[in-house]
Amino acid sequence: RAVRRGAAMEPERECRVLSIQSHVVRGYVGNKAATFPLQVLGFEVDTVNSVQFSNHTGYAHWKGQVLNSDELHELYEGLKLNKVNQYDYVLTGYTRDTSFLAMVVDIVQELKQQNSNLVYVCDPVMGDKWNGEGSMYVPKDLLPVYRDKVVPVADIITPNQFEAELLTGRKIHTEKEALEVMDMLHAMGPETVVITSSDLQGPRGNDYLIALGSHRKTKADGTKMTQRIRVESPKVDAVFVGTGDLFAAMLLAWTHKHPNNLKVACEKTVSAMQHVLQRTIKSAKAQAGEGNKPNSAQLELRMVQSKKDIENPEIIVKATVL
């Protein structure tokens, strides 16, 4: 349709993300969980698949290939030779290999030299807590690489409580301790820290999951300002895979659209998550049938069906400014 002269809207500047994560043929984890929401929200996404598996490893069987650090370097060199290695964001998630992770750091540093405004969003996937006990599901030698090399070059990090404790060497029992741990993480480099899930007890009781966010900005006069928030979202009784990858991707998008308002960015991210999870659990239960526990295939995120909620989430979860 022709647009009247002068009425044409300024096109939004293209925003490009390099996402280095795992890929599955079937289902939604890693790049499969991050790419669609970012594209729906208007981002160009260039994906490097750190692994290519038939499906996520929560199934009874999986097959596939793993990309090594030399192969990652080769792909990046190809982009560089064509002078198309210009990015606004880098996004990374689950990695099992220390040399691969070190290569990611090299790439991020080179991209930051080209574009000082580049934002690196890192989900430092190392482990989680089950029934109060934390355990790592990546090799232990990844921890020092994350702590000493990755976190210092990251701008936004999204650890869960256990990962935040690993990175700082401090346990979290109270909200006050969580805020202190987030300050320690800020001191390591990142401007924005979101503890995506915790076992803290919130004002609304046990049926809610607590996430905490902190954004530290240095003003023109050199003083630091910190905005802190708490988000309580209803727990969904099921084990989903790929939720952390989806969370990090949407947080990237919404912090881009609301750069100085972590509250709104987190409300939109967490609300969209709720819409996706509620739709997924409803669908999984219907597929499994009355009284049966849904299996891994039935619990795959209903991503495409949630397109409208991802694009324009109705805010059903509010954040509290601390």
Side-chain angles (χ1 to χ4, degrees):
R1 286 199 313 241
V3 179
R4 285 201 323 278
R5 257 192 217 119
M9 278 180 68
E10 272 294 299
E12 206 180 315
R13 195 183 68 76
E14 178 186 286
C15 199
R16 195 169 280 272
V17 180
L18 177 64
S19 181
I20 306 174
Q21 299 195 59
S22 48
H23 170 82
V24 287
V25 176
R26 171 68 187 258
Y28 292 97
V29 300
N31 273 332
K32 279 283 288 286
T35 305
F36 177 72
L38 283 168
Q39 288 172 329
V40 161
L41 289 164
F43 293 78
E44 287 289 348
V45 188
D46 293 1
T47 55
V48 174
N49 298 326
S50 55
V51 306
Q52 167 159 278
F53 285 170
S54 53
N55 44 266
H56 73 67
T57 56
Y59 285 74
H61 310 279
W62 72 92
K63 298 275 184 194
Q65 300 81 36
V66 178
L67 195 75
N68 66 37
S69 56
D70 292 341
E71 291 161 336
L72 168 63
H73 185 247
E74 195 180 336
L75 289 172
Y76 178 70
E77 282 299 304
L79 296 170
K80 203 163 136 180
L81 288 168
N82 290 311
K83 297 185 170 54
V84 290
N85 58 332
Q86 273 98 31
Y87 292 99
D88 303 285
Y89 286 89
V90 175
L91 174 63
T92 64
Y94 180 78
T95 304
R96 284 197 66 81
D97 179 67
T98 50
S99 62
F100 191 91
L101 198 53
M103 179 60 67
V104 167
V105 173
D106 290 347
I107 290 171
V108 169
Q109 284 175 318
E110 187 169 311
L111 291 172
K112 281 194 168 195
Q113 278 168 352
Q114 284 179 192
N115 172 14
S116 59
N117 294 321
L118 180 127
V119 174
Y120 172 28
V121 181
C122 170
D123 185 4
V125 183
M126 288 183 284
D128 209 342
K129 289 189 180 186
W130 285 273
N131 308 321
E133 279 303 302
S135 68
M136 286 181 76
Y137 42 59
V138 299
K140 290 199 169 20
D141 55 359
L142 262 79
L143 173 57
V145 183
Y146 270 117
R147 188 187 57 223
D148 305 334
K149 294 190 169 149
V150 180
V151 173
V153 297
D155 301 283
I156 299 176
I157 58 169
T158 58
N160 57 33
Q161 179 181 331
F162 177 62
E163 290 157 348
E165 291 174 343
L166 284 175
L167 288 168
T168 57
R170 277 204 54 188
K171 287 270 187 273
I172 296 171
H173 308 98
T174 62
E175 191 174 277
K176 181 175 176 288
E177 289 177 339
L179 298 178
E180 287 165 4
V181 162
M182 289 200 288
D183 283 343
M184 289 170 77
L185 290 167
H186 282 311
M188 291 161 78
E191 269 197 355
T192 303
V193 177
V194 177
I195 296 179
T196 55
S197 62
S198 70
D199 47 23
L200 294 174
Q201 177 81 39
R204 299 173 71 175
N206 269 338
D207 297 334
Y208 287 81
L209 191 66
I210 302 270
L212 295 163
S214 179
H215 177 64
R216 177 168 292 179
K217 210 175 157 52
T218 307
K219 296 202 302 201
D221 63 3
T223 56
K224 289 186 179 356
M225 266 185 60
T226 308
Q227 184 193 14
R228 294 184 171 135
I229 55 145
R230 179 200 314 123
V231 190
E232 295 179 78
S233 51
K235 284 182 184 170
V236 184
D237 185 27
V239 177
F240 299 101
V241 180
T243 48
D245 308 322
L246 174 59
F247 186 99
M250 289 196 298
L251 187 70
L252 182 162
W254 291 117
T255 51
H256 175 77
K257 292 173 195 286
H258 304 282
N260 293 313
N261 198 332
L262 186 62
K263 179 180 186 287
V264 171
C266 284
E267 285 174 345
K268 289 190 176 181
T269 300
V270 177
S271 293
M273 291 290 303
Q274 277 297 314
H275 291 300
V276 174
L277 295 183
Q278 297 297 345
R279 181 174 285 106
T280 301
I281 193 73
K282 198 174 152 190
S283 156
K285 283 178 171 169
Q287 289 176 66
E290 196 71 34
N292 298 324
K293 206 172 174 229
N295 63 26
S296 290
Q298 291 159 341
L299 282 167
E300 289 285 6
L301 298 177
R302 307 303 281 171
M303 196 75 83
V304 174
Q305 297 79 357
S306 304
K307 175 178 176 287
K308 286 194 172 74
D309 294 317
I310 291 167
E311 207 165 6
N312 190 12
E314 181 199 338
I315 304 295
I316 53 173
V317 178
K318 287 279 201 205
T320 307
V321 176
L322 300 174

